[in-house]
Amino acid sequence: MAKAKGWLTATSVVAASALLLAGCADNSAATSNNGSSSKADSSPADGGTLTVAQGTKWNDEFIPNLDSSGYTAAMTQLSFDPLLNVNNKLQLVPWLVQKYQYSSDHKTITCWLQPNANWSDGQPIVSKDVLLDMDFLASPAYNGPHMQGQAGYLVDNIVGASKILKGQAKSFGETGGFTIVSDKEFKVHVSQADAAFITADLANITPLPYHILKDTPFSDWLDMKYNKLPTVVSGAYIPVSANSQSIDTFKANPNYWRGKPHISKVVLEQTSPDVEPGLMASGQLSFAINGISANDKIKMKKDPDITETTMPSTEYAFLGLEDKKPYLSDVRVRQALAYAINRDQIINGIFQGMAVPTNSPTPDSYSWASTPASQLNQYKYDPKKAEQLLDQAGYVKKGQWRIDPKTGKTLVLHLATTAGSATGTTEAAAIQQNLQAVGLDVVENSPIDFSTLVNHLQNNDPNIDMWLMGNSMGPDPDPRGTWGTQDPGNYGHYSNPEIDKLIYNTWALPSDFTQAGRGQQFQAFNKFVNEQLPVIFLFNYQNVQVYSSKVQIPSKYFGPMGAWPVSPDWSISK
């Protein structure tokens, strides 16, 4: 198992992040084109159907963390709650866990579950439910080739994780990693004090109903009926139907521990981005998670029946690189690609200014961990600089194209893109044109869906050199899982012992077991990645949420991680 951070997404979308967004803080950064519509009515109406669009298909796998994409997470978050949550200032807040306490050596965390937290069938959510999810994430079944263990990192640091993975134990209850004190109190024991463990790992554990699943072997979980349509859940909405990754329906959970939702029904639909604006204008859509282009969002601002709220974001877009290929293993080539791409033109022309250039793995939303722009190479558009670097690396022009010195043939770079995003397609064409202008023969592959792209990258598809993708980060900027040499999200296979050391320092140094101390370590990590460019950073999105003005969403829900999922105090005016 290895640490995977946040959610990887197709570029040009904003996807759900690892945690929900708790409405527990004010957010002065969010602005709306209709101030009243982002405020809940004093007496919210009960009933109604919220029809929600996603621009990309998801997998109908309801058990959290079986699928690594943000699109599937957006679906599962309706039905399953995590242990802890964050507010719109990225501050950790209680959720299913009411409170927690560290031991003096930071190796034991005692947690108390909410007294009123119940499953949708009325049974209490108890310590065994937490242990069940942890045992599953550590199991050989989950981490084997059938399920691939994308979130096994959540329990890596718990005492005995390696024994469970090797089949030497079945549960953290046997290994000394988990102690049940009572139904509503438990202790988690970690092998190493980890400054990011609570926010990045433990918070994301989603209890699973032990009383329902206790007799089903983990090896059967992927194909069992509960995974395809669970009848007992912890979240605000219970799945009613799931139809081939394109339309799922949910009903309000009357036993939800935060209160019965005002909105009676949620319909999640996979909808072409091209038709989403028209469907919303006609009232057939209520809320769009992603997919609507910047141009359409600007046009929709003029519609009094549609509300847009703009927020900072923790998601950035990047051009992934297969760094183990000889021509991309040279840092001069990678830097040349960065100088060759006219990001400002893409931002202004395609995204209508709804993004800002970024040059770091840690977005500015994490004020304590980000690095000032003045201390980073900005890689401003400079095609002449790009050509100089390519020449220095030995990739000189012969006619229109540059030649690979090892083969004597034209260097051809294959760019992979995902289907279902009009802005992504336009963005890919712009990048292709920029790179061709400096003599690089870039060929765009036929678009494929996001899950297929991830599968191709995991299986080292030789016909992919570059790809467009986004990283929708969680509440902690923990780099593990994306940047380390052995990390599952390191699709480009970048390998450097220095980056592994710098990543370690962001969470493991005893002297820096504070946010301020960790922030200093992030500076070194950010600067190294900025110089080496394992990927080409493109831009940090502004999160523009589009929804019907009939949908009443309290402003406290808007923050860097977006407003999704539906909360019980959302309502639809009549």
Side-chain angles (χ1 to χ4, degrees):
M1 295 177 288
K3 197 167 203 62
K5 194 176 103 27
W7 297 105
L8 294 173
T9 69
T11 189
S12 308
V13 303
V14 176
S17 46
L19 295 184
L20 316 178
L21 182 66
C24 303
D26 221 0
N27 185 15
S28 58
T31 59
S32 172
N33 69 321
N34 183 338
S36 62
S37 62
S38 64
K39 306 285 185 181
D41 290 337
S42 57
S43 299
D46 287 330
T49 297
L50 186 76
T51 304
V52 181
Q54 280 213 96
T56 300
K57 286 187 176 182
W58 57 91
N59 286 330
D60 281 325
E61 295 175 358
F62 280 88
I63 292 179
N65 297 313
L66 268 176
D67 181 77
S68 63
S69 82
Y71 308 107
T72 301
M75 179 264 293
T76 63
Q77 285 175 348
L78 287 168
S79 300
F80 291 92
D81 277 8
L83 290 183
L84 292 162
N85 210 336
V86 292
N87 61 24
N88 56 21
K89 295 184 183 297
L90 299 180
Q91 298 165 330
L92 201 64
V93 295
W95 211 246
L96 285 178
V97 163
Q98 183 184 46
K99 61 179 180 178
Y100 65 89
Q101 183 177 19
Y102 268 117
S103 61
S104 59
D105 63 359
H106 294 100
K107 289 188 174 183
T108 296
I109 304 96
T110 303
C111 299
W112 290 267
L113 292 165
Q114 297 282 0
N116 67 325
N118 292 330
W119 293 99
S120 57
D121 64 356
Q123 291 295 310
I125 296 174
V126 297
S127 299
K128 283 186 177 180
D129 301 323
V130 180
L131 178 59
L132 180 64
D133 187 48
M134 290 183 174
D135 289 344
F136 173 59
L137 295 175
S139 69
Y142 177 70
N143 292 281
H146 196 41
M147 302 185 202
Q148 299 186 340
Q150 290 291 320
Y153 74 91
L154 293 175
V155 295
D156 262 354
N157 193 26
I158 299 176
V159 172
S162 61
K163 289 185 177 181
I164 297 175
L165 180 62
K166 294 174 183 177
Q168 298 171 354
K170 292 185 178 181
S171 173
F172 285 112
E174 305 169 23
T175 66
F178 193 96
T179 302
I180 295 177
V181 179
S182 68
D183 279 353
K184 292 290 186 176
E185 181 182 349
F186 60 88
K187 296 178 184 288
V188 178
H189 311 279
V190 298
S191 299
Q192 181 172 358
D194 183 338
F197 178 75
I198 289 285
T199 307
D201 299 338
L202 185 64
N204 291 284
I205 295 295
T206 49
L208 296 168
Y210 178 82
H211 65 289
I212 300 293
L213 301 176
K214 62 182 179 179
D215 295 325
T216 304
F218 291 150
S219 57
D220 294 340
W221 277 26
L222 184 63
D223 299 317
M224 69 178 173
K225 290 182 179 180
Y226 184 88
N227 185 38
K228 305 305 178 184
L229 196 70
T231 55
V232 176
V233 300
S234 61
Y237 287 88
I238 304 168
V240 175
S241 65
N243 182 13
S244 301
Q245 309 169 354
S246 60
I247 180 167
D248 290 354
T249 59
F250 302 79
K251 65 180 180 180
N253 175 5
N255 293 317
Y256 188 44
W257 65 277
R258 294 174 60 212
K260 182 180 178 180
H262 291 299
I263 297 175
S264 299
K265 182 179 180 181
V266 176
V267 179
L268 183 63
E269 296 183 357
Q270 191 274 319
T271 307
S272 170
D274 296 334
V275 302
E276 284 184 13
L279 292 175
M280 186 164 288
S282 67
Q284 296 178 69
L285 280 181
S286 312
F287 188 97
I289 297 177
N290 52 56
I292 296 178
S293 71
N295 281 330
D296 285 330
K297 287 175 181 175
I298 289 176
K299 294 176 184 176
M300 293 165 73
K301 280 186 177 180
K302 301 176 182 178
D303 190 332
D305 295 326
I306 296 175
T307 297
E308 291 184 15
T309 300
T310 302
M311 303 157 280
S313 169
T314 62
E315 183 182 15
Y316 62 85
F318 64 91
L319 180 68
L321 305 174
E322 183 46 86
D323 295 311
K324 71 177 182 180
K325 293 191 175 182
Y327 38 87
L328 292 173
S329 66
D330 190 322
V331 67
R332 293 171 296 183
V333 174
R334 301 196 298 270
Q335 290 179 344
L337 297 179
Y339 282 115
I341 297 174
N342 192 338
R343 293 181 293 173
D344 286 337
Q345 186 178 64
I346 293 172
I347 289 170
N348 293 324
I350 299 176
F351 295 98
Q352 300 297 307
M354 294 182 183
V356 293
T358 190
N359 298 287
S360 166
T362 308
D364 290 341
S365 295
Y366 306 96
S367 57
W368 61 273
S370 61
T371 299
S374 61
Q375 299 179 28
L376 297 171
N377 190 333
Q378 295 301 296
Y379 295 103
K380 292 183 180 293
Y381 178 55
D382 190 342
K384 289 185 178 180
K385 178 73 171 178
E387 295 206 70
Q388 291 172 359
L389 287 167
L390 290 169
D391 288 342
Q392 291 171 13
Y395 296 90
V396 298
K397 276 187 178 180
K398 185 177 181 181
Q400 181 182 4
W401 305 120
R402 294 186 177 273
I403 303 302
D404 186 335
K406 294 188 177 181
T407 65
K409 298 179 180 179
T410 298
L411 175 63
V412 180
L413 300 177
H414 293 271
L415 173 61
T417 61
T418 52
S421 171
T423 52
T425 300
T426 309
E427 181 187 344
I431 290 174
Q432 180 186 36
Q433 184 178 18
N434 286 162
L435 298 182
Q436 287 177 339
V438 297
L440 292 170
D441 186 6
V442 176
V443 176
E444 185 178 346
N445 296 351
S446 298
I448 52 180
D449 65 68
F450 179 76
S451 297
T452 302
L453 172 60
V454 170
N455 182 263
H456 285 196
L457 295 175
Q458 289 173 333
N459 289 284
N460 304 315
D461 187 332
N463 296 313
I464 297 177
D465 298 297
M466 308 182 294
W467 57 93
L468 285 171
M469 194 172 279
N471 188 6
S472 185
M473 299 172 65
D476 191 290
D478 187 356
R480 287 171 288 179
T482 302
W483 298 102
T485 300
Q486 301 298 324
D487 287 348
N490 179 10
Y491 294 140
H493 305 95
Y494 180 76
S495 178
N496 189 318
E498 181 64 19
I499 198 172
D500 294 328
K501 176 184 176 182
L502 293 171
I503 290 170
Y504 177 85
N505 289 347
T506 65
W507 61 271
L509 297 182
S511 60
D512 291 330
F513 210 90
T514 64
Q515 193 172 81
R518 291 181 67 207
Q520 293 179 359
Q521 300 302 329
F522 268 95
Q523 303 310 304
F525 168 71
N526 294 337
K527 292 174 183 177
F528 179 86
V529 175
N530 170 258
E531 178 70 22
Q532 291 296 313
L533 291 185
V535 305
I536 307 302
F537 294 102
L538 297 175
F539 29 79
N540 184 202
Y541 295 108
Q542 285 185 312
N543 190 352
V544 182
Q545 185 61 67
V546 181
Y547 54 99
S548 166
S549 296
K550 291 184 177 181
V551 180
Q552 304 298 306
I553 305 174
S555 59
K556 62 187 178 181
Y557 289 110
F558 294 98
M561 292 169 60
W564 185 261
V566 186
S567 288
D569 51 353
W570 290 24
S571 62
I572 299 175
S573 60
K574 296 181 179 179

